[in-house]
Amino acid sequence: MRIIGLLGGMSWESTAVYYRRINEQVRDRLGGLHSAEVLMRSVNFDSIVGLQRADEWDQAGQVLSRYARELEQAGAACIVICTNTMHKLADIVQGAVSVPLLHIADVTGDAVRKSGARRPLLLATRYTMEQDFYLSRLREKFDLDPLVPDAADRAVVHATIFDELCQGIVRDSSRQSFKDVIARGRVRGADSVILGCTEIGLLIGENDIDLPAFDSTLIHADTAVDFSLAQNGSSRLNAA
């Protein structure tokens, strides 16, 4: 079992989902008392949000790169950034370490393509929906034709993520708002939905959606388990 390096805290609400899912998957696959070998560096999300709002992405990249190096030095065999939005900096973080970074858009896009869907509606933070780093990857690597909600619906989705879900608030009214956003996306031709923010699964899941739904958090976590278990033998933590 190789050690999974989680770069989390963005927000901790969804990082907790990663930790639980990874351990559940290892237990289910190996049985008994097996659990995952995990290292985690959890950041103060407020400081990261401040850099996002100030458009200081280069500085945020330096922060995440430093923490990724710490995980590698401690023995992590891969890096998992537990947030979709900060994959805007994935190439920068990957350049700072020699172990692989498991890219959330790649594993999610691959799952959508394998399902036969082609026009997923991407629900995410404003940064992920409006900037090109995620959408272009889905188009260019997976031949998908992703849609995003209109401006008013993007504002609703973004506000719900930051003002509610990242703060542990789950409202039925917001669940209905997301269903309405998805219904409007379906009218525009969406044939599936990507839950492209790691907190969205706290609010809505495949049982709430009448289109195929792809929860990026669960897909990403499962990919980390696949990586960890792909090599026989046990890993050992390096000395500090």
Side-chain angles (χ1 to χ4, degrees):
M1 188 187 302
R2 291 184 285 187
I3 300 173
I4 299 167
L6 298 181
L7 190 47
M10 299 170 281
S11 68
W12 71 259
E13 295 282 349
S14 60
T15 301
V17 176
Y18 271 90
Y19 186 74
R20 176 178 291 278
R21 177 72 173 197
I22 287 169
N23 279 288
E24 286 175 343
Q25 286 289 300
V26 169
R27 180 190 61 200
D28 291 347
R29 298 186 197 190
L30 300 183
L33 297 176
H34 283 287
S35 58
E37 294 195 37
V38 174
L39 289 167
M40 184 188 300
R41 181 58 165 90
S42 188
V43 309
N44 178 0
F45 191 34
D46 186 74
S47 64
I48 297 296
V49 170
L51 294 174
Q52 291 175 345
R53 291 173 176 168
D55 203 29
E56 296 287 349
W57 294 98
D58 288 343
Q59 186 175 342
Q62 293 173 14
V63 171
L64 296 192
S65 293
R66 181 171 71 252
Y67 294 156
R69 285 193 295 269
E70 291 176 2
L71 288 170
E72 181 181 21
Q73 291 164 3
C78 68
I79 301 298
V80 175
I81 303 176
C82 302
T83 163
N84 284 271
T85 296
M86 299 310 285
H87 277 75
K88 175 180 172 70
L89 308 171
D91 290 344
I92 294 172
V93 177
Q94 179 65 88
V97 295
S98 61
V99 298
L101 182 149
L102 307 183
H103 200 295
I104 196 168
D106 287 353
V107 299
T108 303
D110 187 55
V112 175
R113 180 178 61 182
K114 286 178 177 175
S115 77
R118 189 167 185 279
R119 301 197 75 199
L121 178 69
L122 176 64
L123 303 181
T125 66
R126 185 187 300 278
Y127 310 111
T128 306
M129 292 186 289
E130 296 182 356
Q131 298 181 23
D132 201 43
F133 66 94
Y134 202 99
L135 292 165
S136 62
R137 203 168 183 108
L138 295 178
R139 295 187 190 103
E140 294 166 9
K141 294 193 69 172
F142 303 100
D143 195 30
L144 300 177
D145 183 20
L147 306 175
V148 296
D150 65 21
D153 283 348
R154 292 198 301 272
V156 169
V157 172
H158 183 87
T160 301
I161 291 167
F162 279 95
D163 297 343
E164 298 176 24
L165 301 179
C166 287
Q167 299 181 45
I169 301 168
V170 178
R171 295 189 172 121
D172 289 339
S173 58
S174 295
R175 183 176 297 107
Q176 184 58 53
S177 293
F178 271 55
K179 289 180 179 181
D180 293 342
V181 170
I182 292 167
R184 287 188 282 273
R186 185 170 189 169
V187 170
R188 292 172 52 216
D191 61 7
S192 54
V193 180
I194 292 176
L195 307 185
C197 171
T198 54
E199 284 79 26
I200 292 178
L202 300 171
L203 177 69
I204 195 168
E206 60 181 9
N207 292 332
D208 303 299
I209 301 170
D210 59 1
L211 289 172
F214 299 88
D215 188 328
S216 61
T217 305
L218 303 183
I219 295 168
H220 203 202
D222 291 354
T223 301
V225 175
D226 292 341
F227 177 91
S228 176
L229 299 183
Q231 175 176 295
N232 292 327
S234 59
S235 301
R236 296 177 60 188
L237 287 170
N238 295 333

